[in-house]
Amino acid sequence: MTDRDVFEYALLRVVPRVERGECFNAGVVVYCRARSFVAARTHLDEARLAALDPGADVVGVRAALHAVEGVCLGGEDAGQAAGDDAGRRFRWLIAPRSTVVQPGPVHTGLTTDPEAEVERLLDLLVR
């Protein structure tokens, strides 16, 4: 039997008009402590965004989603989080915030391949 590791994930939601609370999924962040792994993948459905807010800042939303991916990668793209370990970067990304791109609740699972989980969850819950 292959060893499976616990992983955590949170969806990234786009809330174009925070006062209305309407949202849709636009990405996923996955963290696996046992493998010091954190990654995010995003997919912005511009038609959904326009349906909820025709005047939404598409470029700004896309930049916010890419920033999450950059923090996960670490290095220069992570900004102040560059020196943090994978767990600290994940915890920072899933902290509640009242912005256009917001993390959802954290869920857990078991996996043999955290990288594959990122893609599987993106296909299952976002696209």
Side-chain angles (χ1 to χ4, degrees):
M1 182 172 187
T2 307
D3 288 334
R4 297 186 299 167
D5 295 310
V6 173
F7 73 96
E8 300 173 70
Y9 73 93
L11 290 167
L12 297 173
R13 299 174 176 166
V14 172
V15 187
R17 294 180 58 194
V18 176
E19 71 278 8
R20 292 183 59 140
E22 298 167 330
C23 64
F24 64 94
N25 297 337
V28 63
V29 182
V30 172
Y31 168 61
C32 180
R33 180 176 179 220
R35 305 216 186 167
S36 297
F37 174 87
V38 65
R41 298 292 183 279
T42 62
H43 172 79
L44 180 59
D45 185 333
E46 291 184 22
R48 281 186 180 178
L49 180 57
L52 293 179
D53 184 0
D57 178 4
V58 177
V59 173
V61 171
R62 193 173 299 285
L65 290 168
H66 286 295
V68 172
E69 292 174 332
V71 169
C72 288
L73 289 172
E76 287 181 24
D77 291 335
Q80 291 180 326
D84 291 342
D85 63 31
R88 286 182 56 100
R89 290 194 311 270
F90 178 72
R91 297 287 172 236
W92 183 80
L93 289 169
I94 62 162
R97 51 187 48 92
S98 183
T99 61
V100 173
V101 174
Q102 300 179 8
V106 175
H107 305 280
T108 61
L110 295 172
T111 187
T112 58
D113 184 353
E115 183 70 38
E117 285 303 327
V118 179
E119 296 301 327
R120 183 183 76 79
L121 292 169
L122 186 70
D123 287 340
L124 180 68
L125 302 171
V126 177
R127 291 190 178 132

